[in-house]
Amino acid sequence: MLAYFCNFKDLNMRKTKKYEPLVELIFRISSVMTIVAVGFIVLFIISKGVQPFLSSNKEGTYSFVKFISGLEWRPNDDINKAQYGILYMIVGSLFATGGAIILGVPISIFAAGYLSELANEKVKKIAKAGIMLLAGIPSVIYGVFGLGFIVPKIKEISPMPQGQSLLAVIIVLTMMILPTMIVIAENAIASVPSAYRNASYALGASKVYTTIHVIIPAARRGILVGVILGVGRAIGEAMAVVLIAGNVSGGIPTSLFEPIRPLTANVVLEMSYATGLHSEMLFATGSILMLFIIGINLVLSRIIKRMGKY
Amino acid sequence: MKKILIVALALVLALAIFAGCQKETETTVSDATEAPADNTETASDATEAPEAPMSLSGEVTVSGSTSVEKIGIALGDEFMAMYPDVKYTYQGIGSSAGVKNANEGVTMLGTASRNIKDSEKEWGMTEEVLAYDGIAVVVNPANTAVSNLTMEEIQKIYLGEITNWSQVGGEDTAIVVVSREDGSGTRGAFEELVEFEDSLTADALISEGNGGVHATVAENESAIGYISFTYIDSAVKTVTVEGVEPTVENVLATTYPISRPFMIVYHEANLSDAAKAFLEFTKTDLAKEIIEEKGGIAID
């Protein structure tokens, strides 16, 4: 019976006619459901997120310019005293994500190149198992590890009295995005046709030279897909960063050792307590976060379209 | 055939999940709204004989302060042991959310680890004091030089006016101020009691929950934080405030300045029989024992 769908020779035209539309419908419903879910989430968050900036809002109105350019976050029941500025959080989130990408991309490319082209089977097996394990660790565990190990270590070298900092966030985020980026880059590298390698070898290039100058450039498209996923995870990560970022209520970070409050941490910290305008401002924070993720995805996928095949 | 069957089963399962969700919300809503209609006759015998483990059944739903959570859960466990047919749930979601839930009938009872705000009093709920709690000011155990702070010193540290431990008799290191997230009942109570409302220094690190502050202070030698008495242990060092030890006795004697009430709020109409019996139970000696055991300060 299982062969029914796979083996076309056995297909009975009458049966096909009967089941084909049904199966197609199931497929269609499944894909439509995904799109509907994404659409609903975006609509819900943004429709709640724009509320505080509408003059008709019954919880009070807050200036969007002040929101997007403000350097302090001080919720208050009294709207005249409250400050809901998120510019410093946007900067913090972008610095943290950018830092993690700058650290993570070269590591993941070299690791993927090594695993796919140079390593022997045994090393490959062990390393792959390690990477999979790294990918499976829950983010809160990364956070606890960061708080217990990385933060005290940073405090030792930091000019500031605390270790909760942009640097701590960058290090933990790098560790978190590496597995995804390595696995995807490795797949991309493995799918580069062996004609490329053989041509390079035939010209007398070494294995390492071939990997760096032929294979990795040829696989740049796949590597960038990994970067997109890495950016998405880094900018959207909440549970780990909330433990190690410091979550200060104001100030743009001017050094790696200064604490930050990422956009995600802001929502995670306060959502359970917030009411009224405060809660709406958190939805607005979430909307900004989502716009950033959508924007970054669009830009990077544009770049990918113009790139090579692998 | 098999494949179709599997897909069909998966679809049925998916639908069942959605259906399940819907039903659940329906029952909670109807529970909350219908409850006042049918509980008048049985209410009296529940208050007369809270000790008798007889026919009491139903639900008691509580939500609110994370500071009250330990006590709330321990009381609930004991209550369910007395009345096995009662289902008691406590959700630690924060004081403001708990009071809101009680007002909207999402849960029958709400708890708050602070005085009820004027804006909340307008909702006209019944308020009861369950217990008292003290907020302890803690530093890292390595900070041996500082063992007492005045209210003014604490206030200035949290305002960012005092930034070095040497200014309060400690070593010459910068102070790392640790506070709680906005909206936290403990933070609200602390800011109110120490009088620096809405003016926390922007350099303060914000940790999530009492546990978060505890962990941050335990890990950083120059940190200062504040936590509920229930979270005090040897990993952090308490300081005396105005020379008064943060102890239960001193809170009851009202000599310790940083203390606050644990409130229970409810609309009488939303209570089930079980919830009414539970409120009675919280006033028994057994309940007081449990409150004290969990670090709260029972009232007489």
Side-chain angles (χ1 to χ4, degrees):
Chain A
M1 274 290 152
L2 272 176
Y4 179 81
F5 281 97
C6 315
N7 198 334
F8 286 94
K9 273 183 214 157
D10 291 349
L11 275 183
N12 172 324
M13 282 316 284
R14 205 169 46 82
K15 273 190 175 173
T16 316
K17 270 192 184 146
K18 209 167 148 195
Y19 292 117
E20 194 101 322
L22 177 73
V23 175
E24 201 188 313
L25 185 73
I26 292 169
F27 276 53
R28 192 175 295 158
I29 289 175
S30 305
S31 55
V32 165
M33 252 158 70
T34 322
I35 299 166
V36 167
V38 171
F40 260 120
I41 293 171
V42 172
L43 262 180
F44 174 75
I45 300 285
I46 294 197
S47 69
K48 281 206 97 166
V50 297
Q51 290 301 324
F53 313 115
L54 303 176
S55 53
S56 58
N57 188 35
K58 59 177 188 292
E59 308 283 359
T61 308
Y62 195 83
S63 143
F64 182 73
V65 177
K66 267 163 81 186
F67 171 67
I68 206 77
S69 66
L71 297 180
E72 275 199 49
W73 178 268
R74 290 190 184 277
N76 198 307
D77 288 344
D78 180 356
I79 188 164
N80 297 316
K81 280 197 214 154
Q83 275 179 287
Y84 296 105
I86 64 160
L87 182 62
Y88 80 100
M89 300 183 205
I90 295 175
V91 172
S93 273
L94 290 181
F95 278 4
T97 307
I101 293 298
I102 289 169
L103 266 182
V105 166
I107 297 176
S108 63
I109 290 176
F110 290 134
Y114 172 74
L115 283 180
S116 158
E117 298 292 311
L118 309 170
N120 63 40
E121 279 306 311
K122 207 175 162 192
V123 174
K124 210 167 155 178
K125 226 176 164 181
I126 296 170
K128 272 198 152 179
I131 290 167
M132 288 303 172
L133 196 66
L134 208 57
I137 296 174
S139 57
V140 69
I141 301 295
Y142 280 99
V144 172
F145 169 73
L147 183 63
F149 183 76
I150 292 171
V151 165
K153 286 277 174 272
I154 289 176
K155 205 185 88 190
E156 281 173 26
I157 57 162
S158 169
M160 310 273 291
Q162 87 281 333
Q164 280 86 347
S165 57
L166 177 58
L167 182 61
V169 176
I170 289 176
I171 292 173
V172 168
L173 284 182
T174 306
M175 284 167 43
M176 294 181 73
I177 62 176
L178 273 183
T180 330
M181 296 209 299
I182 292 176
V183 168
I184 289 174
E186 206 216 320
N187 283 340
I189 287 171
S191 61
V192 173
S194 41
Y196 282 51
R197 288 176 195 92
N198 295 337
S200 177
Y201 296 152
L203 291 170
S206 69
K207 245 186 155 182
V208 174
Y209 186 92
T210 305
T211 304
I212 294 175
H213 291 269
V214 178
I215 308 294
I216 289 175
R220 62 184 188 276
R221 181 179 172 155
I223 291 170
L224 243 151
V225 171
V227 172
I228 290 189
L229 289 174
V231 169
R233 174 143 202 212
I235 202 168
E237 177 47 46
M239 288 323 289
V241 299
V242 79
L243 291 168
I244 54 171
N247 310 315
V248 284
S249 39
I252 285 185
T254 54
S255 91
L256 280 173
F257 297 110
E258 278 182 29
I260 59 168
R261 177 188 285 228
L263 291 163
T264 48
N266 193 40
V267 179
V268 164
L269 273 172
E270 296 178 4
M271 196 46 116
S272 54
Y273 289 119
T275 53
L277 186 68
H278 183 190
S279 150
E280 289 178 348
M281 296 312 290
L282 293 176
F283 275 100
T285 311
S287 306
I288 297 291
L289 182 64
M290 212 162 55
L291 290 179
F292 264 103
I293 294 174
I294 293 171
I296 290 169
N297 266 298
L298 283 180
V299 170
L300 287 180
S301 48
R302 273 282 154 75
I303 297 173
I304 285 174
K305 260 190 193 161
R306 298 206 198 116
M307 282 190 158
K309 271 193 281 186
Y310 312 105
Chain B
M1 264 325 234
K2 236 181 205 168
K3 283 206 171 168
I4 294 178
L5 210 77
I6 290 170
V7 174
L9 273 175
L11 266 182
V12 169
L13 209 76
L15 281 175
I17 290 169
F18 283 117
C21 291
Q22 222 168 11
K23 242 184 215 156
E24 215 160 22
T25 35
E26 265 169 30
T27 39
T28 20
V29 169
S30 63
D31 242 30
T33 45
E34 281 168 18
D38 56 31
N39 61 17
T40 31
E41 337 88 89
T42 37
S44 57
D45 58 41
T47 43
E48 269 164 29
E51 237 69 50
M54 351 179 282
S55 58
L56 195 62
S57 66
E59 268 191 282
V60 183
T61 53
V62 191
S63 64
S65 168
T66 52
S67 307
V68 189
E69 193 168 4
K70 278 186 184 177
I71 292 174
I73 287 174
L75 286 175
D77 286 345
E78 186 62 37
F79 190 66
M80 281 192 286
M82 283 163 64
Y83 303 101
D85 292 338
V86 173
K87 193 168 164 273
Y88 175 98
T89 53
Y90 188 101
Q91 302 170 47
I93 54 172
S95 298
S96 304
V99 175
K100 202 167 86 178
N101 274 357
N103 180 47
E104 289 166 1
V106 178
T107 56
M108 297 167 194
L109 305 173
T111 62
S113 50
R114 54 166 167 75
N115 283 309
I116 303 304
K117 293 178 188 167
D118 286 341
S119 59
E120 291 164 346
K121 282 192 189 221
E122 281 169 21
W123 300 337
M125 281 185 286
T126 315
E127 298 169 21
E128 281 180 21
V129 179
L130 176 67
Y132 282 95
D133 177 38
I135 302 173
V137 176
V138 289
V139 296
N140 192 278
N143 188 348
T144 46
V146 177
S147 57
N148 178 57
L149 291 168
T150 64
M151 285 294 268
E152 199 190 345
E153 281 168 344
I154 298 171
Q155 187 197 40
K156 284 192 169 158
I157 288 172
Y158 273 88
L159 284 171
E161 288 167 15
I162 294 179
T163 55
N164 196 300
W165 281 113
S166 63
Q167 287 168 277
V168 290
E171 285 164 40
D172 182 22
T173 51
I175 300 176
V176 175
V177 178
V178 185
S179 185
R180 290 280 307 276
E181 65 276 19
D182 266 295
S184 140
T186 311
R187 172 165 168 180
F190 188 75
E191 291 196 352
E192 201 181 306
L193 294 163
V194 185
E195 292 174 15
F196 64 99
E197 273 169 280
D198 312 319
S199 11
L200 174 71
T201 165
D203 294 331
L205 302 183
I206 308 295
S207 289
E208 199 185 7
N210 278 303
V213 174
H214 181 276
T216 308
V217 173
E219 163 266 317
N220 193 320
E221 281 142 39
S222 17
I224 183 169
Y226 55 88
I227 53 178
S228 283
F229 278 17
T230 33
Y231 283 82
I232 296 173
D233 63 16
S234 58
V236 291
K237 188 184 102 174
T238 57
V239 295
T240 57
V241 179
E242 305 277 354
V244 182
E245 289 266 359
T247 61
V248 171
E249 294 75 38
N250 292 339
V251 168
L252 280 181
T254 64
T255 49
Y256 185 71
I258 314 173
S259 63
R260 59 175 178 168
F262 283 162
M263 308 292 296
I264 295 188
V265 292
Y266 54 89
H267 282 301
E268 191 79 36
N270 290 342
L271 298 185
S272 65
D273 294 346
K276 285 180 183 171
F278 176 73
L279 280 175
E280 285 305 315
F281 167 71
T282 61
K283 293 170 190 121
T284 60
D285 287 341
L286 177 59
K288 280 176 190 164
E289 245 171 65
I290 293 167
I291 289 170
E292 308 252 306
E293 196 179 290
K294 293 294 165 193
I297 300 157
I299 44 166
D300 291 315

